[in-house]
């Protein structure tokens, strides 16, 4: 394997800016022609949008905007020039929000991350991201093809079968959420199966330092990426493990949450992304995630801007066990039962795994009475604690994250 995925990763700042000055006006022009933008880009001179600073003059596109647009023009809200049948895949995320997917070379730009993880020809990747409706499984499979690796399309669950398959086919690399690899490793150890996994490419949740250290002690190098269903890969770690390097196919801005105004370098703000993918030109798409720009370049030699990785949500939305839990879901839980006055979801960690506890202020009822509603509204199983009315903090929070990211 070569050290870098392609020459784009080590371009000079000048060469990258020159390429952007050519590509960005074309992308703005594509977006202006799409009905899904609803005239939001009318009056913009695409030829004058040639750099990151110029983007600040454009409106921010939010997930709620996608939902409204798709409600009016299913499935993609008029935000792509291709018909639905023109894509290889159509995915569904909570909302529901529909996302297109392609199978051309590195369509999701995940190959760059897998290459940085050392994955390439000769590797067999156990892909434990979901393949049903949501795009993560296909995102990583497309990336594995881009680097020439074989894929075991494992998906989620059935841990005993996963451990057996990893042993029998000689899996060398793992792709999935950070926690689940440990579950497979522990199950394989329990079954007396020796595994050959030495590389892990993870996403969809926080990679805690203690968990990375445990993998290292077991001979596994574990790196993480930052990706979304709408945008594909946004940024990724290299072996230097000093921040996340922004992918060459997107433009990242850090703005004051709820606005489109860029923050000062180094300040924490909301991640806003413009993709250069001509098939799905999302312009200034607000992720709802918080991060900050890091000074300088990565010691690995990749020259693009770095961010500090995921630093929480601009709202109270929190990712638990790889799934987003949103304030409106907690409100839906409360609305289901007249006896519930308030509820609070608490995210914590135990034994290198996420734990969700749902604290419910109720005038009566046992915890098991609410278990079905918790799963149906929050889409996750969790502990349920009944607490007296008035005992939850009066701080406006319905989701609290107690996990340490240091």
């Amino acid at each position: 394997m070569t050290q870098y995925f392609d020459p784009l990763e080590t371009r000079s700042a000048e060469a990258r800016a020159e390429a952007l000055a050519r590509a960005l006006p074309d992308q703005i022009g594509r977006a202006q022609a799409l009905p899904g933008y609803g005239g939001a880009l009318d009056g913009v001179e695409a030829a004058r949008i040639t750099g990151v600073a110029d983007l600040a003059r454009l409106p921010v596109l939010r997930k709620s905007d996608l939902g409204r647009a798709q409600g009016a023009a299913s499935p993609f809200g008029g935000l792509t020039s291709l018909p639905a049948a023109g894509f290889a895949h159509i995915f569904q995320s909570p909302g529901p929000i529909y996302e297109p997917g392609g199978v051309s070379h590195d369509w999701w730009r995940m190959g760059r991350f897998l290459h940085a993880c050392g994955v390439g020809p000769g590797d067999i990747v156990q892909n434990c991201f979901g393949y049903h409706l949501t795009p993560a499984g296909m995102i990583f499979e497309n990336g594995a093809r881009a680097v020439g690796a074989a894929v075991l399309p494992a998906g989620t669950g059935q841990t005993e079968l996963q451990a057996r398959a990893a042993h029998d086919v000689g899996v060398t690399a793992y792709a999935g959420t950070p926690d689940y690899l440990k579950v497979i490793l522990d199950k394989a150890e329990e079954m007396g199966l020796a595994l050959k996994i030495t590389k892990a490419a993870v996403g969809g949740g926080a990679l805690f330092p203690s968990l990375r250290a445990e993998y290292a002690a077991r001979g596994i190098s574990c790196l993480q990426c930052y990706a979304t269903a709408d945008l594909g890969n946004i940024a990724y770690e290299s072996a230097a493990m000093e921040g996340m390097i922004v992918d060459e196919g997107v433009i990242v801005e850090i703005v004051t949450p709820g606005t489109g105004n860029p923050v000062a370098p180094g300040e924490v703000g909301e991640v806003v992304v413009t993709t250069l993918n001509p098939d799905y030109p999302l312009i200034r798409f607000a992720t709802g995630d918080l991060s900050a720009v890091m000074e300088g370049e990565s010691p690995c030699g990749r020259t693009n801007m770095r961010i500090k990785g995921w630093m929480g949500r601009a709202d109270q939305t929190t990712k638990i066990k790889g799934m987003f839990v949103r304030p409106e879901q907690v409100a839906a839980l409360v609305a289901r039962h007249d006896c519930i006055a308030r509820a609070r979801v608490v995210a914590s960690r135990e034994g290198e795994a996420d734990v969700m506890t749902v604290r419910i202020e109720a005038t009566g009822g046992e915890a098991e009475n609410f278990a079905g509603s918790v799963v149906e509204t929050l889409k996750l199983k969790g502990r349920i604690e009944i607490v007296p009315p008035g005992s939850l903090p009066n701080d406006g929070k319905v989701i609290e994250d107690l996990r340490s990211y240091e």
Side-chain angles (χ1 to χ4, degrees):
M1 289 179 62
T2 58
Q3 184 176 358
Y4 304 111
F5 183 71
D6 59 26
L8 299 181
E9 293 183 327
T10 55
R11 288 182 289 181
S12 67
E14 293 76 15
R16 187 173 285 109
E18 288 173 4
L20 183 60
R22 294 190 298 270
L24 193 52
D26 290 342
Q27 189 73 329
I28 300 299
R30 292 186 191 100
Q32 286 178 314
L34 299 174
Y37 279 93
L41 299 177
D42 287 355
V44 174
E45 293 184 54
R48 297 175 66 88
I49 308 297
T50 59
V52 179
D54 299 323
L55 288 170
R57 304 203 300 267
L58 306 182
V60 168
L61 180 69
R62 297 195 173 275
K63 198 87 167 181
S64 56
D65 297 324
L66 288 189
R68 283 191 291 271
Q70 291 185 4
S74 184
F76 302 131
L79 289 168
T80 173
S81 60
L82 296 176
F87 288 98
H89 301 289
I90 300 172
F91 302 102
Q92 184 194 73
S93 292
I97 297 291
Y98 295 95
E99 296 103 2
V103 292
S104 59
H105 178 75
D106 209 27
W107 195 88
W108 300 96
R109 304 176 314 282
M110 194 54 70
R112 194 178 303 283
F113 169 50
L114 292 176
H115 185 90
C117 291
V119 177
D123 278 309
I124 301 173
V125 180
Q126 186 153 340
N127 186 4
C128 295
F129 283 106
Y131 277 81
H132 298 113
L133 286 181
T134 56
M138 292 308 303
I139 288 174
F140 275 79
E141 178 154 325
N142 184 255
R145 287 201 182 102
V147 297
V151 175
L152 174 66
T156 58
Q158 298 183 295
T159 305
E160 188 168 319
L161 291 178
Q162 297 241 20
R164 169 60 65 183
H167 170 268
D168 290 349
V169 306
V171 165
T172 58
Y174 164 89
T177 57
D179 293 347
Y180 192 53
L181 174 57
K182 175 176 165 55
V183 177
I184 293 175
L185 295 174
D186 290 347
K187 177 59 69 173
E189 190 173 284
E190 176 188 314
M191 297 170 66
L193 301 174
L195 302 187
K196 297 179 180 179
I197 297 173
T198 59
K199 308 160 190 175
V202 303
L207 173 58
F208 292 88
S210 57
L211 186 57
R212 189 184 336 233
E214 178 173 338
Y215 291 150
R218 298 171 95 155
I220 300 171
S221 171
C222 183
L223 299 178
Q224 60 186 323
C225 71
Y226 169 40
T228 73
D230 315 276
L231 298 159
N233 194 28
I234 298 170
Y236 60 98
E237 284 187 318
S238 70
M241 290 191 286
E242 291 190 13
M244 289 189 170
I245 303 155
V246 172
D247 185 79
E248 299 296 332
V250 296
I251 304 161
V252 169
E253 301 171 83
I254 306 295
V255 307
T256 302
T259 77
N261 304 323
V263 302
E267 288 189 10
V268 176
E270 184 177 12
V271 178
V272 169
V273 180
T274 296
T275 174
L276 297 176
N277 182 346
D279 296 338
Y280 193 38
L282 295 179
I283 307 299
R284 300 202 84 199
F285 185 78
T287 64
D289 295 322
L290 297 176
S291 192
V293 173
M294 294 180 65
E295 292 184 1
E297 297 176 357
S298 173
C300 70
R302 294 172 176 85
T303 56
N304 207 354
M305 182 180 83
R306 294 178 298 164
I307 59 175
K308 292 184 178 180
W310 188 81
M311 299 175 70
R313 293 286 294 177
D315 56 18
Q316 291 182 44
T317 300
T318 302
K319 188 173 282 187
I320 307 173
K321 301 179 183 178
M323 295 288 290
F324 281 122
V325 178
R326 306 177 190 278
E328 54 266 32
Q329 291 172 278
V330 183
L333 171 64
V334 173
R336 280 195 171 211
H337 299 272
D338 292 339
C339 62
I340 298 180
R342 290 193 297 163
R344 189 181 185 101
V345 171
V346 179
S348 58
R349 297 278 291 177
E350 287 183 10
E352 300 299 350
D354 285 348
V355 175
M356 182 180 77
T357 302
V358 183
R359 293 181 178 146
I360 294 173
E361 284 188 7
T363 54
E366 302 295 327
E368 56 265 27
N369 296 342
F370 304 106
S373 293
V374 165
V375 173
E376 289 173 17
T377 56
L378 304 182
K379 310 304 180 186
L380 289 171
K381 292 182 180 179
R383 298 172 182 169
I384 300 172
E385 298 178 358
I386 308 299
V387 300
S391 61
L392 291 178
N394 187 24
D395 57 6
K397 286 186 179 181
V398 295
I399 303 174
E400 182 179 14
D401 194 348
L402 300 180
R403 296 168 295 184
S404 173
Y405 296 90
E406 297 299 325

